[in-house]
Structures are given as structure tokens and as C-alpha cells.
Amino acid sequence: HHRARRNAQKLLEYTLDNPEKVGALGSAPDSCGGVLPQLLESGLSPKEIFDTLTTQQVELVLTAHPTEVNRRTLLDKHRRVQNLLTEADEQRSKGATTMFKQKVINDSLKREIGLIWQSDELSRSKPTVQEEAERGTLVVETVLWETVPNFFRKLDATMVEALGEEYSLPLDAAPFKFSSWMGGDRDGNPNVTANVTREVCLRNRIRAAKLIKKDVEEIDGRLSTTFCSDELREKVGDAREPYRVLLGKIIAKLDLTIEWATQELEGLQNGYQTGKKNIQLDEIYLSKKELLDEIRLIHRSLSVTGNALTGGGYVLDLIRNICAFGLTLVPLDVRQESTRHTEALDAITRHLGIGSYSEWDETTKISWLQSELASKRPLIRSEEWNGNPMFSDTVVDTLETFQMIAEQHDDSLNAYVISQATSASDVLAVLLLQIDAGVKSPLRVVPLFETLDDLNGAADTMDTLFSLPAYKGCIDGKQEVMIGYSDSAKDAGRLAASWAQYETQEKLAEVAKKHNVDLVFFHGKGGTVGRGGNPATFKAILAHAPDTINGKFRVTEQGECIFQNFGHPDRAERTLDIYTAAILAEKHTERAKPNEEWRDMMNKISDLSCAAYRKIVRGDERFVPYFRSATPELELSELNIGSRPAKRKASGGVESLRAIPWIFAWTQTRLNLPTWLGVGEAIKEILNSDDGDKLRAMYNEWGSFRTTIDLVEMVLAKSEPSIAQHYDDVLVKDEKAKELGEEIRRIHKDTEDAILDLSSHEKFCESNELLQRILHVRNPYVDCMNVMQAEILMRLRECEDEEEKKRLKDALLISITGISNGMGNTG
């Protein structure tokens, strides 16, 4: 609420200081209201800015978070508290409050706080994938459905004021799209089956149809006018209230759409029953184009009959929501690990008697895949693998997924993401499996390059793909590539991963340009710095390598960050504004590119930091025992805070642990090790060498490098090694592991000194007064919870009584919730 209050106050001050301005989005430098005038001053024409704004697009992909700790019921109560605080602020600012109004708000606040206090903070069972998807998309229904058109209205007013009347936001402009992984991401999660994805797709259609129907009914209640255009009259005949005739038909068709999807959903859950209503597909809405055409017709009719103002209200909002959310609310990406496709094709080739696909070399795989893509005969029919012992359960699950994709209607699914992609054959395999399953319009295939080696080899992989006629002919000159920020940082450390991500995007952009392919990067970032996150979104986007975004930005928005950024209309609007302004500014802002000297320096720093990071995480035999005893990592998988296992594989150490719980564990102990380990050693060595002055110049002159170092500085400001030491004292029994803990804290201190030396700061984040104030207020409370959590972990690990264990696990999860909320994130 405080963030929303500050934003509102700034906007009010701007309006008072500039009474002649519309002030729809204020004038902050990271707002469209600030960026548009700045670009005009730089010499850009209104048309150039308009063309960029109306062709750029941000796509936010909502993903589940295996360490999301807050229950939905509590999030709802917190949202109501914020609404009440906002209402109280508005009444005070208007000077219109009375004793009675104030009492009503105070009583409502006490009521909500009392309910929060008496509510169970813990999830008593792990959420199903369906429940996780419902929780994740709740923000669309409760906040974004109203906020998105409201933001577009303000963006339109800002454009008209800055650029001129002729440069208003087009009717069907879609600067934002929303997608989801919840229900489609099956990488390492056996709970996501083909039927689960079918179910989530149907639920999304039902929700979208209900939201649209509600808005259409609202419009129907208002449009009682008897005048309409000839175009509309031809469609409805001589009806006295022409709009209501058309709207009535739309409502009836939406009702049928909801009924059809509900029947299909019940059939999936309970088995298809006889006697259900026979609804034909041409009786329902399956494509948003048909519905959009009808709503646009109403808008055109209102505009040409002197009712443009009416058309610019609810009708325009509905058009923009349909453009942003369609008939599926959030289309799903499908994600699966590359080895699953290799396993499926290996089973098929063995069944066909042509050898073992998994044993072929890359050249042989590509040659065979190309020939099969060119062939018109099916590779295998479903009756050949259903019930066939040659096909394992995991192979059948993979093939059933492609069968499910073939059944889906328009816009239900979005892209097919291949995690742990390493080669061109990984991409061709998914394309072939889609075509062989009968997918009429194959989903775009998106390789996800995650580890340091995968990132370094990505350009060669895509160059090989783009050189293959069989592949080039299937992509229509468009390609999407996903960059993994989490696993690369877990693999090589934050600094080495950041440089690899930067260089990889540069090289991939050059490869795409060489082959005349329009390349879009999909950024797999998390909320924390250790997973590629940056709370300063505007600066983070401008820190990307030049000529890699080009007006198209696809990025994951995960778990708790969904609520933080979009859980309230004011915050959601501000987030949309920042993204829009940043993508616009990035396209037209000249930024320093690294010269050869800087590149050599970055290569050296990257190698040094990666070696120092891996020396501890991979090379020190004490590390895994220390990690498991000094953090809540072992207990994480037993807590009911996500449908997804904490590890991709049940066995294995740190390398098999997912990036989110890896970060989560260190965040809980306040050491934040993955973000800074390796950074200090590299910087200290360079500063003490003849290249020290060059490194300082690079920090001062190259924004991307400075952003990376400043983020590490921010994390160090939030870290508390003394708290981590308390965990060691209470939990770590092995003397060698304790020694490692002491060494790590010494490295932490050296890293602090190195960062302050490089930045020339006397203390961390000295110019960030807000962060200083937050830490001052927050830390005393979180410190106490950390002390309690260490005690709880000790008792839990020593406890043999099952009832006592249950109580301790409850206490542990409560402490996790408290620390997570205090720190602002979990992973």
C-alpha cells in the first residue's frame, strides 16, 4: 500500500505543479509520461515514437513458484486491507470523511486483521497443478481485467498529449499479452499430465467466457439507443434496439461456450456420460477473431452515429481485453526436458527396426529428422504405442502430450519450450513429434539454453538450425529463444552467468540477422537477483545488450512476484507503465557497447569468478554436507508449498536441485550465497593488478556492468552473515563443515570490501534512502524469526515423536513465511 500511496502522491504533486497537463501517467523518468517528452527532446519525431509504441509488445508469462508460501485466502485478505487503506487515504485527501465513515473503515480493517490473525497460515496439503494454475491466474480475473484497459486509456491520453491528436492508441493495439506455464510446464513435474493440461485449458476458457459475458451484459444494459449504422442494421434487421439484438446473440453464444467447456471438463474428470447436450463447435466461440469482429462492429456503429464517446467506454475496454487475453485468458506454454523427446524417438526407431536414435551422432540425427519432416507418411500411429511394452510410461506420457496438443483449439497453447536444450536435433525432434501427432499449426519451438556450456554453444546450434531448409521452411522467418538466468547462475555463479547471457544474446542476434530471421528472446528470470531478477525493471531492461530486444520482450513473472507486481490495481498499472516505457526507451536510447578492452576484461572476470564459485560449490567435498545442515534445504521437499518437486530427479546433489529452492535455502539464512560467491575474488584480483583503473572506468562508463555490480551490492546490503553464523552454531555438527562456513563468511567480507572499493561507496546502497529505511525497520523483526527458525530446525532434526514433528513442521513453515515476507522474496 505504501508504494501505491507514494505513486499517487507523486502524481498529485505533478498535477498541482502542472495544471495544464493531463497527467494520466505522471512524469517519472521510468514512466511513459516521462519517456515520451524525453524522446521528443532527443530529436525523434512523433511518428517514430508512435510507430514504436504501437508495434512493441511485452508478454508476461505467469509461472508457478515451488516456494510460494502465502495462502490464497490470506492474499485475498491482504488485498482487502489495502483497498480499505486506499479508501481511507482518498477520504482524507478529499476532506470528506465523517466520524461514521471513519468508523466503518476502522471496523472493516479490524475485522480483516482479526480474520487474518485467526486464519491458518499453512497449506495443509500440497496444491494440485490445477489449484496452482487457478491461484496463479487469479490476478487476471481480480485485477488485470480492469487494470489493463484502464492503463491503455491512460497511455492513450499520454500519447495524445505528447505526440498530438492524430497519434492516439489504435483500437486493437496490444502492447501487452499474458501467458502461463501453470498446467503446461511438465519439466520434472510428473503431476502435469496431458489430461491436466487439457483441464487447465478448459478452465481458462470458462473463466475468460464468464469475464467477457459479464462485460457484454454490462454493455447490453447501457446500449438502449435505437440508432445504428447501416452495417449493423443489415445484421440485426428492423429491431427497435439494434445493439441489444446483437449483444443478446453474443451473450447466448457465450453461454453455450461456457456450457460446452464445462461439459468437456466434467467429461475429463468423471468420464464422458451419455445424455449430455450436443453442442456443435460452430455454435460456440473458439476463435477470438469472430467475437472481436462483432464487438468492433458495435464500436464502428457507435462512432459513425455520433456516439463515439459511448463507444470509447465499456465497448473499447472490452475490445482491448479481448486483444490482450483472448478467449483463453492466458494461453499455456508446454515445457519438457530435451531428453524426454530423445527417449520417445529412440523408442520409435527401435520399434521401426531402424536402430537406436539416442545412440546416433548429431549429424545422423539431423539427417534422419529432416527426411522424416519432408516425408508425408506418418512416423507412428497411436495404436502402435498404446499398450506396447516397448514404450515406457514416460515415453507414452510424452507422446500423449503431443496428441493433446493436436486436439487443442485456437490460442489454448502458445509455445513449446525445450529445457536443457543443447543441439539442433533437440529442436527438430519436437517439430517432428508435433507434425507426426497431427498438429495442424505446430506450436513454435523454443529452445531454452540454461547452463554456461549451453549458452556458449547456443549461437552455433541456431546457426545450424537456420541453415537447414526443412527447418527454415517451417518457421516463417520467426524464431524465439529462451535464455535461462537461474540455472546458468547456479552452474557458474552470478557474474560469469551474466556475461554469458549478454554475449549469447549478442551472438544469437547476429546469427538471426545473417539468416534473415526475426528473433525474439524469452527471458527466464526469477524475482531474486540470483535468478536474474532486478527490482529496478526500467534499468534492468536498458542494461540488456543493444539490438537484442527490438520492441519484443517476453519474460517470466513468477509466484510471489505476480502478487507483488500485479496484486493491486495501482501496483499493476505502475508495472505495466514501467515495462511499456522501458521497451520504448530501450529502442531509442544510445547505450555504450563493450569495446574489445572491456570484453577482454569481462572474459577474465568471468573466468576468475566462475573458478572461485565452482571451487566452493563443486570442488569442496565439505560443501554439500554444509549446505544441507546449515539451511532448510532438506526440509523443503516435505513442506506443502508447491505442486512441483524441489529436484528434477529424486537422487542427486546440488546439481539436480532446482534453481528456485537453491536460492530459497540461502535466502532463508540471510547469506544469499549464490548471488555474490565468486564476485569478490574476481574483482579484488583485477583491482590489485595493472588493470585496476580499467575496471573502475568500465564500472563508471558501461551501464550494463554497473547494473550487475550494483545488484550484487544491494544483495550484500540485505545479507546478514552473523545470522548465517547462528545457523551454523545451532545446526552444523561436522567440524569440517563448520570450518567451511567460517571460510565462506570471510569470503563474504572480502566481497563486501571489493564491491565498496570498485563503486567508491562508503557504505552499501548509500544513495538508496528507501532501502536503508526498509532494512532499518525490517531487520529487527526478521532477525528474531531467523533465531526461532534455527531452533525449530534443530529440534525437528532431533525429534522422533511424529506428533511433535507435525507441530515443528507447522512452526517451520510459519517461520519460512515470516522470513520470506520480511525479505520480500523466497527464491
Side-chain angles (χ1 to χ4, degrees), residues 49-162:
I49 298 171
F50 174 81
D51 288 344
T52 300
L53 260 177
T54 53
T55 55
Q56 72 179 44
Q57 188 172 77
V58 174
E59 184 172 357
L60 299 174
V61 183
L62 310 179
T63 69
H65 196 308
T67 54
E68 164 65 75
V69 293
N70 293 304
R71 292 185 64 206
R72 171 179 168 176
T73 184
L74 290 175
L75 295 178
D76 289 343
K77 289 176 173 62
H78 292 157
R79 186 182 290 112
R80 288 197 290 271
V81 167
Q82 179 163 349
N83 289 338
L84 287 165
L85 292 172
T86 300
E87 184 182 346
D89 285 348
E90 289 174 352
Q91 286 192 12
R92 277 194 296 271
S93 66
K94 294 175 182 176
T97 188
T98 64
M99 291 285 287
F100 175 74
K101 288 180 180 178
Q102 197 168 340
K103 184 178 185 304
V104 169
I105 291 177
N106 288 341
D107 287 349
S108 298
L109 276 171
K110 290 175 183 176
R111 194 176 301 121
E112 293 297 340
I113 293 168
L115 288 170
I116 290 171
W117 184 251
Q118 296 176 54
S119 295
D120 190 347
E121 295 184 46
L122 308 181
S123 295
R124 295 296 165 181
S125 59
K126 275 187 175 291
T128 64
V129 176
Q130 296 92 322
E131 289 168 343
E132 212 163 42
E134 183 179 359
R135 182 170 66 187
T137 55
L138 179 70
V139 71
V140 176
E141 300 172 69
T142 58
V143 178
L144 288 172
W145 191 260
E146 289 187 11
T147 301
V148 166
N150 286 343
F151 168 69
F152 287 165
R153 193 176 298 282
K154 292 183 178 182
L155 177 61
D156 178 53
T158 302
M159 290 170 64
V160 168
E161 181 177 56

Side-chain angles (χ1 to χ4, degrees), residues 665-684:
W666 293 110
T667 305
Q668 285 288 300
T669 66
R670 310 269 291 282
L671 192 58
N672 297 308
L673 176 141
T675 304
W676 54 262
L677 185 62
V679 176
E681 293 97 315
I683 289 174
K684 182 179 179 180

Side-chain angles (χ1 to χ4, degrees), residues 571-681:
R571 290 205 305 270
E573 185 181 287
R574 179 72 176 121
T575 302
L576 297 174
D577 185 22
I578 291 172
Y579 268 115
T580 305
I583 299 302
L584 173 62
E586 192 278 335
K587 180 75 177 289
H588 296 293
T589 301
E590 286 293 324
R591 307 189 303 288
K593 292 185 179 181
N595 55 40
E596 285 307 311
E597 187 177 77
W598 289 357
R599 289 183 185 277
D600 290 342
M601 183 76 72
M602 283 306 304
N603 288 330
K604 188 174 182 180
I605 294 174
S606 177
D607 290 342
L608 288 169
S609 66
C610 181
Y613 175 87
R614 287 178 172 175
K615 180 183 176 183
I616 297 289
V617 173
R618 291 191 184 183
D620 197 314
E621 63 181 11
R622 300 170 295 173
F623 182 76
V624 172
Y626 173 70
F627 171 55
R628 289 184 167 159
S629 58
T631 74
E633 185 264 328
L634 284 174
E635 289 75 15
L636 174 62
S637 60
E638 298 180 33
L639 301 176
N640 298 317
I641 50 178
S643 73
R644 197 181 189 190
K647 290 187 176 183
R648 281 191 168 95
K649 297 175 183 176
S651 60
V654 172
E655 74 285 348
S656 69
L657 191 68
R658 291 189 177 280
I660 296 174
W662 163 247
I663 298 288
F664 164 88
W666 293 110
T667 305
Q668 285 288 300
T669 66
R670 310 269 291 282
L671 192 58
N672 297 308
L673 176 141
T675 304
W676 54 262
L677 185 62
V679 176
E681 293 97 315

Side-chain angles (χ1 to χ4, degrees), residues 551-563:
K552 305 293 180 186
F553 193 74
R554 197 168 195 246
V555 65
T556 51
E557 191 77 25
Q558 294 193 330
E560 61 202 10
C561 293
I562 297 172
F563 179 74

Side-chain angles (χ1 to χ4, degrees), residues 764-820:
F764 291 126
C765 304
E766 58 189 19
S767 60
N768 191 337
E769 294 182 7
L770 180 59
L771 178 60
Q772 300 287 348
R773 194 160 62 246
I774 289 171
L775 294 175
H776 178 74
V777 171
R778 181 196 70 188
N779 281 358
Y781 296 95
V782 185
D783 292 348
C784 295
M785 286 186 280
N786 280 119
V787 171
M788 287 189 287
Q789 185 181 83
E791 178 70 19
I792 293 164
L793 283 168
M794 182 190 71
R795 294 188 187 186
L796 183 58
R797 291 172 184 179
E798 296 176 352
C799 182
E800 296 182 0
D801 181 84
E802 290 303 318
E803 282 301 312
E804 180 66 11
K805 271 188 180 180
K806 185 178 178 182
R807 286 191 290 270
L808 287 169
K809 284 181 180 179
D810 279 4
L812 176 61
L813 188 48
I814 290 171
S815 73
I816 286 173
T817 304
I819 294 168
S820 301

